[in-house]
Amino acid sequence: MAINKAMRAALSVLSYSEADIKKSYQMERWLKEISARRLRKPSLYHIWEHKVINGDHEVPVRIFMPSAREHQGILIFFHGGGWVTGSIDSYDAVCADMANQTGRVVISVDYRLAPEHPFPAGLEDCYAVTREIFLDENLLETEAKEIVLIGDSAGGNLAAAVSLMARDRGEFLPSRQILIYPAAGNDHSDSSPFPSVRENGTGYLLTTKRVRDYMELYRSSDEDLMNPYYAPLAAKSFTDQPDTLIITAEYCPLRDEGEAYGKALKTAGNKVKIFRMPNALHGYFSLPVRFSQVKKTYDLINCFLMEKETDLMGFSQ
């Protein structure tokens, strides 16, 4: 069912305010942490804490074990939040669900946030964690081919950037990545080449103004706009990338750039599946699994992980 007029009106009221994020981001972080503590607590899971050294910085990671005794691989997860908000604490429930829904160990990365630590600090944290896990197969007794990158929104951007960086640095290369409504482009103005920036830029929770503000806080300088590790669509080459699953949301301003990134990967010879989640808003993946769109997302993820091509008939592109 499409979003009706009453729902559209409610979304317009609930949509993120146009407040200056440069003044309010610390309060937003605090509110997310408070909300995470008050909302549902994940159950039937086991976790432990770990730290990875990145230069003179220790990157905290939280490892979630699935309820099944034997896991089938590893998902390295980078959380969303516009590179400015979000943490392993605020994504506890998501990661616990992810471990139990996929039967895989989930490693959640608490990368440094902007603007205190602008690009590429958070990305380098994500790369350092990924590098350690790939180069030490004994760490969790998992072969490199069973390690998959996954992220939502800004985390999808980071997953794509880590894959590009891994190819360029030549230390390891992921075989698969899952990008959920990723931020892939660098133009969210009214003249953007992507219609979803204008069509979904107001009234659907995440606004294009909010996206622009987040990206301004994240970058170190305007030169970053053309850096493929900042905006993966700016890459000069899309070759030698992992098999990729991209899931976008119908009413998300980032929808078209995420799908364009998938098409660029596919044109360069990579194996790519793109699915547009009908009637979905940006951020829906953080909802409980009982929501149909979240359940469908895990169905798609599991088919992709198990390479069940025949079960992917619902892919739209």
Side-chain angles (χ1 to χ4, degrees):
M1 180 182 296
I3 298 177
N4 59 34
K5 291 183 178 180
M7 180 61 75
R8 286 179 184 272
L11 289 172
S12 180
V13 173
L14 292 171
S15 291
Y16 295 143
S17 70
E18 299 301 294
D20 186 350
I21 302 172
K22 287 176 280 190
K23 297 179 180 179
S24 66
Y25 69 87
Q26 291 177 320
M27 177 62 72
E28 291 189 23
R29 285 181 191 166
W30 180 79
L31 289 173
K32 283 194 175 185
E33 297 306 315
I34 292 297
S35 298
R37 293 173 194 165
R38 293 182 176 229
L39 292 176
R40 65 194 178 103
K41 297 296 182 183
S43 59
L44 300 177
Y45 74 103
H46 305 281
I47 66 169
W48 72 85
E49 311 292 339
H50 181 61
K51 290 186 178 180
V52 173
I53 303 299
N54 178 25
D56 58 0
H57 174 66
E58 290 186 335
V59 186
V61 301
R62 185 165 294 161
I63 302 172
F64 295 75
M65 299 297 294
S67 55
R69 291 186 178 181
E70 295 185 5
H71 69 83
Q72 302 173 27
I74 293 174
L75 299 175
I76 304 177
F77 178 72
F78 309 128
H79 67 77
W83 309 277
V84 174
T85 67
S87 67
I88 54 176
D89 291 327
S90 63
Y91 270 77
D92 264 355
V94 173
C95 290
D97 285 342
M98 194 183 307
N100 286 327
Q101 291 297 314
T102 63
R104 294 176 181 245
V105 173
V106 174
I107 300 177
S108 183
V109 182
D110 205 15
Y111 57 87
R112 285 172 290 179
L113 299 176
E116 296 90 343
H117 305 284
F119 173 84
L123 171 61
E124 291 288 359
D125 288 347
C126 293
Y127 182 87
V129 172
T130 305
R131 179 184 182 278
E132 176 174 303
I133 295 167
F134 267 88
L135 298 186
D136 186 359
E137 293 184 358
N138 294 323
L139 189 64
L140 288 166
E141 298 181 350
T142 302
E143 296 181 10
K145 66 180 182 180
E146 293 301 330
I147 302 172
V148 181
L149 305 188
I150 179 171
D152 69 322
S153 192
N157 166 284
L158 291 167
V162 167
S163 292
L164 290 169
M165 186 176 282
R167 176 199 64 190
D168 297 342
R169 293 184 178 180
E171 296 182 291
F172 63 91
L173 185 63
S175 60
R176 284 177 288 180
Q177 63 180 353
I178 300 169
L179 314 179
I180 301 173
Y181 37 77
N186 57 13
D187 183 358
H188 300 90
S189 67
D190 291 339
S191 59
S192 168
F194 303 117
S196 64
V197 169
R198 294 176 292 279
E199 295 170 359
N200 302 329
T202 58
Y204 295 109
L205 297 184
L206 178 65
T207 66
T208 51
K209 180 184 183 303
R210 177 57 59 107
V211 175
R212 290 194 298 268
D213 288 347
Y214 277 143
M215 297 196 77
E216 182 178 345
L217 287 171
Y218 179 45
R219 65 179 175 263
S220 299
S221 69
D222 287 346
E223 292 179 356
D224 293 337
L225 288 167
M226 296 310 298
N227 189 322
Y229 304 149
Y230 174 88
L233 268 174
K236 294 181 179 179
S237 171
F238 299 95
T239 60
D240 301 318
Q241 285 299 277
D243 293 353
T244 302
L245 169 62
I246 294 178
I247 302 174
T248 63
E250 182 177 2
Y251 296 107
C252 172
L254 304 179
R255 181 194 69 203
D256 294 347
E257 65 191 73
E259 294 173 3
Y261 188 63
K263 292 173 183 175
L265 291 176
K266 186 180 293 187
T267 299
N270 304 289
K271 293 177 63 177
V272 182
K273 295 292 184 181
I274 306 170
F275 183 84
R276 180 184 296 179
M277 189 61 66
N279 305 317
L281 303 175
H282 186 91
Y284 79 86
F285 187 60
S286 293
L287 295 171
V289 179
R290 67 176 179 272
F291 285 82
S292 60
Q293 291 158 332
V294 180
K295 184 178 183 302
K296 176 63 174 177
T297 297
Y298 279 116
D299 289 342
L300 294 169
I301 288 173
N302 284 326
C303 287
F304 176 73
L305 292 174
M306 294 183 286
E307 300 180 309
K308 291 186 176 180
E309 295 287 342
T310 56
D311 291 338
L312 297 176
M313 299 302 291
F315 282 101
S316 58
Q317 300 181 49

